[in-house]
Amino acid sequence: MEHEKFAEHGHRLIDWITEYMSEGYSGPVLPKTEPGAVMAQLPETPPLEAEPADAVFADFKNIVLPNVTHWNDPRFFAYFPANHSGPGILGDLLSSGLGVNAMSWATSPAATELEIRMIDWLGQMLGLPWRGCIQDTASSATLCAVLAARERLADINQAGFYTQKPMTAYTSEHAHSVLQKAVWIAGMGERFLRLIPADRHFAMQPEALREAVARDVAAGFRPAIVMSTVGTTSSTAVDPVAEIATIAGEYDMWHHVDAALAGSAAILPEMRWLMDGVPEADSFCFNPHKWMFTNFDCSALFVRQPEALKKALSITPEFLKTAQDSAVENFRDWGVQLGRRFRALKLWYVIRCYGVSGLQAKIREHLRMATWFADQVEREAGLTLVTRPRLNTVCFMADSDERSRALMMAVNASGEAYLSHTVLDDRYVVRVAFGQTHSTFAHVEKLWQLLRRLHREMVTPAE
Ligand SMILES: Cc1ncc(COP(=O)(O)O)c(C=O)c1O
């Protein structure tokens, strides 16, 4: 592609993205795509000859756009957000423009040093003065924590598990499956993962944890890691991190805190309680790509003792050695992958262009949306709030599982909003998660009117 063509097409794409961000998508937020429908429109073989970018863009509009789920549309309220922003897109664009590989300090000094500074900034915003790095996702961050915990107990990288007693891992029954997967990958075995019962607020019961650990020690197993969650995926429950830290300390276990969503809210002074007990843990991660307007992917991993992480993950073949190795940080030693994207750029853009107070204001508004929405649900006959939201997510039920499911499906089928579900206390629960960059109160009111109308039509079908 000629450079002038790149510029011409690039300007057009920026204009298109600007319109997409300001107007939202005109079609349904959740596409009604049948499996295979996109593939059917794509040629089975690659083009031999060059095609104009305009043709690719036309196909993007005709084939891709109607068949994507519009995660950044203001009508998206499913799962947790993956919110983007103008500044985040600009930073990401520059990262693509430079195309650097941030594996070592020497392969791009600014990438490493900006990343160090961004973790410092985030740490100040959260009151957590630890070192850390940017990972792609919370899944990778959890895997790193598990590998660090494993290696702290025994030299598994060299010896493998062959002669070792089993290592055990613990988390709440409501935690995300990221720990389960990390335990698989680390070779620790799911049979040795304990899902600790939660209380009526869906938070881990510390006494049940203590008992489970004591049982495992008595059986000759070695407790390696406990993961607390601050803001569970199903209901945004918050585990008692400080009490879990005490138990982890008693048994010399690694304590990882997964705050994938909720960490962003902890930058608000009134939400700083979310960080209670975290400084006593060993690692902490949250995703600016969920609720801090930093386009996917960007997960910040903080570690109290980075040496433990590096012991598990540092490897330096001859061809990667550089003259500065003893004086600098090489972030390839802090994670699974060698090659790394320059993610700090988008975070830098986001934090500078919003300012901390701008980020706080937007997140505060999302919290207000959740409270307002919960108030409406509470007042509506036939709907029941599962818990008062303390974060961005409202969980509620209709008067039967069938009706809850039907209500959610009807909202999603309308194309006017997208909700998701979970199961809590064996009941089918509808979740509404706020946190879109472009959602305003008007969108939230519209969602409520739609939901209320559909619910009332179900309860009292039209003659
Ligand atoms: C609490 C929690 N932990 C972990 C994850 C996994 O996040 P990622 O997609 O960054 O691996 C999620 C995803 O929603 C989550 O809600």
Side-chain angles (χ1 to χ4, degrees):
M1 182 184 271
E2 304 283 328
H3 293 157
E4 298 88 71
K5 271 268 162 232
F6 168 78
E8 187 194 314
H9 197 75
H11 288 133
R12 204 148 358 116
L13 289 197
I14 291 282
D15 287 343
W16 184 87
I17 294 169
T18 308
E19 195 184 315
Y20 181 73
M21 287 197 295
S22 50
E23 311 286 320
Y25 179 56
S26 56
V29 55
L30 177 67
K32 297 188 166 82
T33 312
E34 292 293 330
V38 177
M39 290 267 287
Q41 298 177 69
L42 299 170
E44 284 179 16
T45 53
L48 194 57
E49 304 299 337
E51 295 187 62
D54 287 343
V56 184
F57 190 46
D59 283 348
F60 164 80
K61 284 188 181 161
N62 294 329
I63 301 172
V64 176
L65 197 57
N67 294 297
V68 291
T69 301
H70 295 271
W71 277 73
N72 277 284
D73 190 281
R75 301 165 297 168
F76 183 100
F77 302 99
Y79 305 104
F80 280 151
N83 61 21
H84 73 183
S85 65
I89 294 169
L90 293 178
D92 221 8
L93 191 58
L94 280 184
S95 169
S96 296
L98 292 176
V100 304
N101 183 335
M103 59 188 179
S104 309
W105 179 90
T107 63
S108 192
T112 300
E113 296 193 10
L114 191 61
E115 185 163 337
I116 294 172
R117 187 58 80 218
M118 288 308 99
I119 291 288
D120 271 359
W121 284 8
L122 291 179
Q124 290 172 47
M125 290 155 69
L126 296 169
L128 191 66
W130 290 355
R131 291 160 68 201
C133 66
I134 304 178
Q135 301 270 340
D136 53 3
T137 56
S139 304
S140 298
T142 310
L143 176 60
C144 289
V146 168
L147 294 174
R150 190 189 78 169
E151 210 56 21
R152 199 169 62 147
L153 274 193
D155 188 11
I156 303 297
N157 280 351
Q158 291 304 314
F161 267 116
Y162 303 105
T163 57
Q164 306 278 338
K165 287 187 196 148
M167 292 183 188
T168 47
Y170 308 83
T171 197
S172 142
E173 59 180 329
H174 286 281
H176 198 281
S177 54
V178 285
L179 182 65
Q180 192 176 349
K181 199 170 205 177
V183 160
W184 291 357
I185 298 170
M188 288 163 58
E190 189 173 334
R191 273 176 49 207
F192 301 99
L193 169 65
R194 318 294 183 217
L195 296 183
I196 306 299
D199 62 18
R200 64 193 175 85
H201 301 295
F202 313 112
M204 191 197 297
Q205 296 185 34
E207 277 318 305
L209 170 67
R210 192 190 296 280
E211 284 163 23
V213 179
R215 256 196 316 274
D216 283 333
V217 170
F221 300 150
R222 290 175 306 166
I225 184 166
V226 57
M227 181 177 91
S228 325
T229 310
V230 173
T232 58
T233 314
S234 283
S235 67
T236 65
V238 177
D239 287 340
V241 176
E243 287 171 73
I244 294 168
T246 304
I247 299 168
E250 284 166 19
Y251 288 94
D252 200 21
M253 281 188 286
W254 188 280
H255 180 194
H256 176 65
V257 181
D258 173 11
L261 169 92
S264 297
I267 70 166
L268 303 185
E270 67 271 29
M271 298 299 285
R272 184 57 69 77
W273 58 268
L274 290 165
M275 298 298 286
D276 288 351
V278 172
E280 277 69 61
D282 293 288
S283 52
F284 169 86
C285 105
F286 88 103
N287 289 354
H289 75 227
K290 281 200 187 320
W291 198 9
M292 205 187 269
F293 318 104
T294 310
N295 346 336
F296 195 83
D297 51 4
C298 182
S299 182
L301 172 65
F302 293 79
V303 204
R304 187 154 55 89
Q305 293 174 314
E307 295 315 314
L309 181 67
K310 289 195 264 184
K311 179 167 179 271
L313 292 163
S314 173
I315 186 163
T316 311
E318 183 58 38
F319 50 82
L320 290 178
K321 287 182 183 156
T322 69
Q324 298 84 5
D325 281 349
S326 60
V328 297
E329 213 50 80
N330 289 320
F331 279 131
R332 63 165 197 269
D333 295 339
W334 292 59
V336 172
Q337 46 182 158
L338 166 62
R340 307 175 77 252
R341 299 183 57 216
F342 191 174
R343 296 191 183 88
L345 261 179
K346 58 187 170 189
L347 205 44
W348 195 41
Y349 260 74
V350 167
I351 299 174
R352 291 186 63 184
C353 294
Y354 277 97
V356 176
S357 64
L359 295 170
Q360 290 171 332
K362 278 205 75 86
I363 293 170
R364 198 171 275 130
E365 185 73 348
H366 295 149
L367 294 171
R368 237 165 44 81
M369 290 173 181
T371 307
W372 181 85
F373 199 86
D375 290 345
Q376 311 313 305
V377 169
E378 218 162 25
R379 282 201 281 269
E380 184 68 9
L383 295 182
T384 308
L385 262 194
V386 176
T387 52
R388 284 295 309 173
R390 293 206 287 176
L391 282 155
N392 70 329
T393 305
V394 178
C395 292
F396 67 92
M397 308 181 286
D399 57 11
S400 69
D401 286 357
E402 292 67 36
R403 190 162 274 164
S404 298
R405 187 184 293 110
L407 181 57
M408 186 193 78
M409 307 263 278
V411 169
N412 293 349
S414 76
E416 286 309 314
Y418 182 23
L419 311 179
S420 62
H421 82 282
T422 189
V423 170
L424 291 167
D425 286 338
D426 294 327
R427 294 293 308 273
Y428 191 97
V429 169
V430 183
R431 293 168 74 265
V432 184
F434 300 94
Q436 289 313 326
T437 310
H438 313 296
S439 292
T440 62
F441 251 94
H443 296 107
V444 180
E445 278 166 19
K446 235 170 140 181
L447 167 67
W448 171 245
Q449 279 154 17
L450 171 72
L451 189 107
R452 188 179 55 181
R453 177 172 62 75
L454 291 170
H455 178 246
R456 288 185 180 175
E457 281 169 14
M458 271 175 197
V459 179
T460 325
E463 294 295 304

